[in-house]
Amino acid sequence: MKTLFINIKELIQVRNEPISFVAGTDMNVLPSIKNAYLLVENGLIADFGAMKDCPSSEASEIIDATGRILMPAWCDSHTHLVYAGNREGEFVDKINGLSYEEIANKGGGILNSAKKLAHTSEDDLYEQSKVRLEEIISLGTGAVEIKSGYGLSLEAELKMLRVIKRLKENYSIKIKATFLGAHAVPEKYKNNKQDYLDVLVNEIMPIIAQEKLAEYVDIFCETGYFSVADTEFILKAGKKYGLIPKIHVNQFTTIGGVQAGVKYKALSVDHLEVLNDEDIEALKNTKTMPVALPSCSYFLSIPYTPARQLIAAGLPLALATDYNPGSTPSGNMNFVVATACIKMKMTPAEAINAATINGAYAMGLEQELGSITKGKKAYLILTKPINSITSIPYNFGSNLIEKVFI
Ligand code: NIG
Ligand code: FE
């Protein structure tokens, strides 16, 4: 099966040689070909170039992309999109002035979602989650990482991970699973956090490894949730089971989580709304990707990850949604890219690099997705007729996508 796109106004994120990620000043370089063609063969990018070199092809399908931009699908490396119900009640509390912490203290927050999930069957959870997955595909996402962490018990964590596995089996979007048992301390272990951590490590991790239910391990390293010592405990145990760290750090406070992530060779450290010089220093010359979640900052009205500071330090940055019921009830990567430009002062080129190739790297998919490179999966976004790639963040509330190819 061959599909040929012709007359593409601009083919974006063209990388002839495969790269892992872009960092520092390179983030502002977004290679493209104007008036281009692209040939897809058996789902893979087979060829591309300037229209004048377009092969006269026996393609079974020809798509005329006149006036339209073609680009790699978004790579969303941080979500919690498997969850039960919603937290609309807390949304109103927030409007009335309660902070994330105050809402958690009055029975809301992660434990509220865990309660709902405990009373939701695996089938129901699957049905609710697939609606969200289908929505993000329609918004241009071609790869997504999904975390557990609203189970907080052996049974419910496995329920979440099995739902993720089922989504993986039934959809062609690339899905990566992360075990986030250490998302909050459940009520039952309120005064015995270590006992809960022992359950995660001794009871749940072996099953995850045996059933191959996750590739990554995460922990909410934050004041009032899990300490740096807890983080090291979980990451060390994860390593034994082949689980690579991707962790929540520095959302509200900086307590050394970045350094712990780097020490355990985390693939990514995510959130980073609050960063100090030592944190930035610790990330230099590592393979750990910093990940910013601007729609979380938007929804919670908390600081935005200091993108300019990270990029000026020569570091890379990825962008993801954090899609979850509490802090980011949105899986829209277009909005993330726009918000990164508007609020974090990233250029459109930087934001698109962060949401494609760097996002792919942050979930171990940089060889398969995230750029227009021969041999990569042809997971693509075809825009409506638009002026330039800048239109995407500029027209922040509009859907400029005509079709998504997954
Ligand atoms: O990434 N910060 C921790 N976890 C989620 C929010 C979880 C929730 O409130 O349900 C986040 O923002
Ligand atoms: Fe998160």
Side-chain angles (χ1 to χ4, degrees), residues 386-397:
I386 58 174
N387 188 45
S388 76
I389 204 65
T390 299
S391 305
I392 294 179
Y394 174 74
N395 296 105
F396 70 94

Side-chain angles (χ1 to χ4, degrees), residues 78-336:
H78 181 139
T79 84
H80 312 242
L81 74 74
V82 169
Y83 60 82
N86 62 67
R87 304 232 296 271
E88 286 176 12
E90 295 174 20
F91 177 57
V92 177
D93 287 343
K94 203 168 6 233
I95 291 167
N96 288 329
L98 266 62
S99 69
Y100 187 82
E101 198 182 358
E102 287 164 335
I103 288 168
N105 290 342
K106 81 181 251 257
I110 296 165
L111 296 184
N112 186 2
S113 286
K115 212 177 288 167
K116 291 183 205 285
L117 192 132
H119 297 111
T120 304
S121 72
E122 193 170 310
D123 282 342
D124 189 6
L125 187 61
Y126 175 81
E127 292 301 320
Q128 293 186 36
S129 305
K130 83 174 209 208
V131 174
R132 297 181 199 118
L133 190 73
E134 287 173 14
E135 190 201 4
I136 67 164
I137 294 169
S138 75
L139 291 168
T141 298
V144 65
E145 179 259 17
I146 310 175
K147 301 171 194 297
S148 70
Y150 291 121
L152 310 182
S153 70
L154 171 82
E155 199 192 16
E157 282 294 308
L158 293 178
K159 175 163 57 179
M160 289 189 78
L161 291 167
R162 287 179 182 136
V163 165
I164 299 172
K165 192 175 183 184
R166 227 162 114 188
L167 292 170
K168 235 188 239 193
E169 288 161 0
N170 293 340
Y171 289 85
S172 11
I173 179 175
K174 259 305 220 186
I175 297 176
K176 293 283 189 163
T178 299
F179 175 48
L180 176 57
H183 198 191
V185 180
E187 202 57 39
K188 191 173 141 194
Y189 293 93
K190 207 165 67 186
N191 302 312
N192 277 308
K193 187 175 62 178
Q194 187 56 43
D195 286 359
Y196 180 58
L197 292 172
D198 288 338
V199 169
L200 298 180
V201 164
N202 299 328
E203 295 178 30
I204 311 185
M205 278 190 191
I207 300 175
I208 289 173
Q210 199 186 346
E211 295 187 27
K212 294 195 168 48
L213 287 172
E215 260 178 80
Y216 302 115
V217 63
D218 194 348
I219 180 165
F220 189 14
C221 178
E222 185 57 60
T223 308
Y225 290 83
F226 295 97
S227 67
V228 170
D230 300 335
T231 302
E232 297 213 9
F233 178 78
I234 287 291
L235 300 193
K236 195 181 282 176
K239 195 167 175 201
K240 211 175 103 196
Y241 291 103
L243 298 169
I244 298 161
K246 269 176 73 63
I247 61 175
H248 282 74
V249 292
N250 291 46
Q251 182 175 6
F252 301 108
T253 55
T254 169
I255 57 173
V258 171
Q259 288 77 356
V262 166
K263 178 171 166 195
Y264 285 87
K265 299 196 165 43
L267 180 58
S268 71
V269 284
D270 302 24
H271 273 290
L272 312 176
E273 288 88 340
V274 183
L275 270 182
N276 62 28
D277 292 346
E278 289 79 55
D279 298 327
I280 290 182
E281 220 36 58
L283 285 165
K284 287 185 181 167
N285 304 311
T286 71
K287 294 197 157 72
T288 299
M289 176 65 69
V291 178
L293 310 164
S295 16
C296 174
S297 297
Y298 176 82
F299 191 77
L300 294 184
S301 301
I302 60 173
Y304 288 85
T305 303
R308 292 267 50 99
Q309 225 176 309
L310 287 159
I311 294 170
L315 292 169
L317 184 62
L319 289 167
T321 62
D322 199 17
Y323 197 177
N324 77 75
S327 72
T328 324
S330 163
N332 187 345
M333 281 295 283
N334 307 281
F335 180 78
V336 165

Side-chain angles (χ1 to χ4, degrees), residues 20-70:
S20 295
F21 58 80
V22 284
T25 50
D26 290 342
M27 286 202 58
N28 201 24
V29 180
L30 186 65
S32 73
I33 303 174
K34 288 197 168 129
N35 194 19
Y37 74 91
L38 179 124
L39 180 67
V40 177
E41 227 177 297
N42 301 322
L44 300 179
I45 297 171
D47 193 16
F48 56 84
M51 225 14 232
K52 64 173 173 42
D53 302 321
C54 183
S56 56
S57 157
E58 354 57 88
S60 44
E61 187 186 15
I62 293 183
I63 297 170
D64 187 348
T66 300
R68 293 155 175 84
I69 282 175
L70 191 66

